[in-house]
């Protein structure tokens, strides 16, 4: 499985794997894809720097990249305290009441509590870019549309191409105007922030709209080699996969030491493709999450409307920590796509990659037979 | 482009084309696909009989089929008058007020007004089956899940296989248990009645679930040969296309005599993939429609909840006639999928088919190159 794009990036297969785990990202890169480390969880750029040192030592000199979250419009900036003051009391009361009803206990008073995720802020995302460019990264992707022009120029100045997610043709055109090199056409079925047009329609639309101005990756609903073959048939030069790595054995975020499987992984393994919901409760923008008692509570009559980004994530930040600590697979807060229905066992990244390749070859043979 | 399924049906290409127009259905069949005539608009079975006589005379002995609408659960039966009495006054008032606000005039008092669409009723759909089986049809499809077991047995007794739409794996399994021969896996992006799982995820899921018990057609979002190649890559044995034929030159439903293009076609040509909405206002069940001032009116605060099937369609039946008569492309009531963004010119069915084949071959060649 190779395309002009995999050749350009010096990777064996045009599989771009997004993950917040450096262990998964490094394994994807070592297995012949391009591991893309999600940076949004690093409030402290020095911590990211140390993790990227680890990536450099564990990727055998093969290419990897980073994924940042920088909204196209600069959102409200401020310290945690300033932003906290903008959250209505009604919203806090709803969160407290809901957690009590779901049996999610408070955090231990002695434990150190992380601040809300600040990676949504431009200032923090810019610090991620500054740090990442000191490492031999091969791609910077932005999960929320095109980054500002000066950030793209900064990356290009360092010889690093820029990718950006697009949920509509108009987004893709805007990205091209800003100088983006790779457009990630992300369909409705995808996990996390996503639009309303499904991949089957969106991918060829964006391929036609950008022409030779950029390469296109297909994102959303991809968890088998058949789906990779479909993406290439639709005109994409490769695929962007995120959800599917959450049930790899290298994914240890949220697991207690020595645990073979985290609560989140147990919840994912039990879900079908119908068990997701697209909602604004995670970040303030529409994002697809695993459907659980937590997401259902927000869709009941009387639940408040979610707040705009970045306030909503700050509102639910402590709730997310309490939910993780409570270890109940029926109450989790986790972005995942409709492909969760195919995530049914915990396996090493290398095994997942081997299956993707074998399934792709079988699908390609089927197409060859049909074409005659 | 051929598969085991196209060989089994004796058609040149595994393209199953659903359309309410006999002129389009016959053209699809003559061009090497399988034209599937939608029956729901025939309140009178004798009228359907005459149209099928026309089909027999205009398909050169090639295979065609019919599409009925028979809900899995038997809905409320009754004459038009009985059902009319079940519609709340609030709903009638909303429809009247909305039409006035949108500038849609009443019907001419002299004109003959058709009754509401009764094809949703089991009794009427059964009369469609009885009539169709007197003709040399090669397939009966049900647009709303599996028909009752005795209808399947009736078709099988006449040597006619049965197809049924499925929006989830559980539907597909139920269809197989009932004896359905072809499962149409219809994704979220499709026009008309549709579920929430997008084709990229749904098609391989259903292919795996039904195994060798049935053939699978992919439906939803298909309007190019690239998308047909993607569907086959996902494991489907063929495709089911509906929306895409609405902008063929043979489609004359709703056109005044001598008109080169109907109001609905003008509305479709101007729409992008973002201009659809999934709503219950057409029939009482979720269906994807073109987004217009009519659909927007039903999503405003204060609009009533749609009624259950078949009441909702009876409620809006005269409104639909008034909307057609008013010829305003900004106020239409029309089921269509997200592929509407690619429906940008009026062309003969034969030209559409030629493009589908050429695009499929190009996509197959691209996959071949990637597979090496």
């Amino acid at each position: 499985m190779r395309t002009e794009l995999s050749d350009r990036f010096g990777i064996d297969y045009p599989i771009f794997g997004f993950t917040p785990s450096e262990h998964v990202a490094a394994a994807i890169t070592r297995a012949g894809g391009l591991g893309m480390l999600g940076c949004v969880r690093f409030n402290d750029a020095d911590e990211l720097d140390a993790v990227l040192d680890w990536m450099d030592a564990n990727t055998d000199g093969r290419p990897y990249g980073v994924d940042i979250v920088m909204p196209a419009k600069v959102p409200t900036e401020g310290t945690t305290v300033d932003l906290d003051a903008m959250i209505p009391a009604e919203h806090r009361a709803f969160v407290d009441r809901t957690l009590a009803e779901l049996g999610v206990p408070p955090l231990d008073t002695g434990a150190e509590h992380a601040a809300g995720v600040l990676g949504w802020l431009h200032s923090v995302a810019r610090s991620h870019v500054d740090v990442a460019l000191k490492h031999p990264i091969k791609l910077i992707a932005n999960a929320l549309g095109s980054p500002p022009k000066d950030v793209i120029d900064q990356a290009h100045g360092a010889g690093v191409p820029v990718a950006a997610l697009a949920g509509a043709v108009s987004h893709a055109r805007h990205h091209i105007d800003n100088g983006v090199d790779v457009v990630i056409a992300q369909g409705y079925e995808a996990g996390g922030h996503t639009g309303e047009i499904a991949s089957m329609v969106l991918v060829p639309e964006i391929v036609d709209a950008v022409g030779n101005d950029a390469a296109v990756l297909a994102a959303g609903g991809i968890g088998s080699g058949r789906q990779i073959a479909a993406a290439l048939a639709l005109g994409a030069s490769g695929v962007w996969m995120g959800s599917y790595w959450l049930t790899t054995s290298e994914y240890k975020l949220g697991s207690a030491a020595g645990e073979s499987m985290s609560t989140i992984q147990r919840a994912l393994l039990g879900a079908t493709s119908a068990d997701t919901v697209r909602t604004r409760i995670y970040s303030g923008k529409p994002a697809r999450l695993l459907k659980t008692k937590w997401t259902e509570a927000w869709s009941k009559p009387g639940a408040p409307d979610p707040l705009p980004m970045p306030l909503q994530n700050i509102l639910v930040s402590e709730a997310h920590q309490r939910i993780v600590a409570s270890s109940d697979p029926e109450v989790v807060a986790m972005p995942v796509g409709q492909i969760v229905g195919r995530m049914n066992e915990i396996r090493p990244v290398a095994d997942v990659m081997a299956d993707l390749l074998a399934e792709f070859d079988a699908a390609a043979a089927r197409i060859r037979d049909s074409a005659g």
Side-chain angles (χ1 to χ4, degrees), chain A:
Chain A
M1 186 201 307
R2 59 183 282 194
T3 62
E4 178 277 324
L5 192 70
S6 56
D7 290 351
R8 197 197 310 171
F9 276 95
I11 50 182
D12 296 339
Y13 319 114
I15 297 173
F16 293 65
F18 162 77
T19 172
S21 158
E22 66 271 23
H23 298 279
V24 176
I28 293 167
T29 283
R30 290 195 306 268
L34 194 94
M36 294 290 298
L37 180 70
C39 296
V40 76
R41 71 183 168 93
F42 298 100
N43 284 358
D44 179 349
D46 288 342
E47 194 191 342
L48 173 62
D49 200 21
V51 166
L52 293 180
D53 282 340
W54 183 92
M55 288 286 291
D56 295 336
N58 287 278
T59 45
D60 305 341
R62 288 168 170 267
Y64 75 89
V66 296
D67 179 274
I68 57 172
V69 180
M70 198 177 269
K73 277 191 281 190
V74 178
T76 311
E77 286 277 347
T79 66
T80 311
V81 175
D82 294 335
L83 295 168
D84 273 352
M86 298 173 66
I87 295 176
E90 174 207 355
H91 283 75
R92 294 195 188 279
F94 171 79
V95 168
D96 289 344
R97 193 169 65 241
T98 300
L99 291 174
E101 284 168 7
L102 296 178
V104 177
L107 294 171
D108 289 344
T109 48
E112 188 187 342
H113 302 160
V117 172
L118 300 177
W120 318 105
L121 300 180
H122 261 245
S123 52
V124 177
R126 280 176 185 270
S127 75
H128 294 157
V129 173
D130 293 340
V131 162
L133 287 176
K134 294 182 193 155
H135 295 264
I137 58 167
K138 297 299 181 217
L139 182 64
I140 294 179
N142 186 23
L144 280 179
S146 169
K149 185 81 177 70
D150 70 291
V151 173
I152 296 176
D153 291 345
Q154 182 188 3
H156 286 175
V160 175
V162 174
L165 264 74
V169 164
S170 57
H171 303 169
R173 290 213 179 95
H174 176 72
H175 297 353
I176 299 297
D177 290 345
N178 272 11
V180 160
D181 308 280
V182 177
V183 174
I184 305 166
Q186 173 159 296
Y188 166 84
E189 51 272 73
H193 295 114
T194 192
E196 292 188 350
I197 318 292
S199 293
M200 187 69 99
V201 171
L202 183 70
V203 173
E205 254 186 356
I206 287 187
V207 165
D208 289 346
V210 306
N212 294 321
D213 293 336
V216 175
L217 298 177
I222 299 178
S224 77
R226 286 183 281 187
Q227 287 150 335
I228 297 175
L232 299 190
L234 294 174
S237 303
V239 296
W240 174 271
M241 294 170 61
S243 302
Y244 208 62
W245 315 107
L246 293 171
T247 47
T248 57
S249 25
E250 289 89 346
Y251 188 85
K252 291 293 180 191
L253 293 174
S255 299
E259 222 180 16
S260 66
M261 198 187 303
S262 67
T263 301
I264 282 173
Q265 286 180 320
R266 282 205 303 279
L268 295 171
L269 292 184
T272 74
S273 59
D275 295 327
T276 71
V277 59
R278 188 169 166 271
T279 168
R280 296 199 299 111
I281 70 167
Y282 196 80
S283 71
K285 288 179 181 282
R288 186 175 300 285
L289 307 183
L290 188 66
K291 191 189 286 179
T292 70
K293 289 179 178 173
W294 170 246
T295 60
E296 294 294 274
W298 283 86
S299 64
K300 286 186 180 155
D305 281 341
L307 301 171
M309 181 179 281
L311 297 180
Q312 179 68 17
N313 190 264
I314 293 170
L315 167 66
V316 295
S317 162
E318 188 185 321
H320 288 174
Q321 293 175 59
R322 287 173 60 176
I323 285 170
V324 167
S326 76
S327 295
D328 178 355
E330 294 188 10
V331 185
V332 305
M334 188 68 196
V336 74
Q338 292 184 336
I339 196 65
V340 70
R342 192 172 281 279
M343 293 159 53
N344 299 323
E345 63 180 315
I346 305 290
R347 291 184 305 157
V349 166
D351 289 7
V352 169
M353 288 288 267
D355 275 3
L356 294 176
L357 300 176
E359 293 155 353
F360 175 83
D361 287 341
R366 208 163 48 239
I367 297 288
R368 192 170 51 233
D369 291 347
S370 296

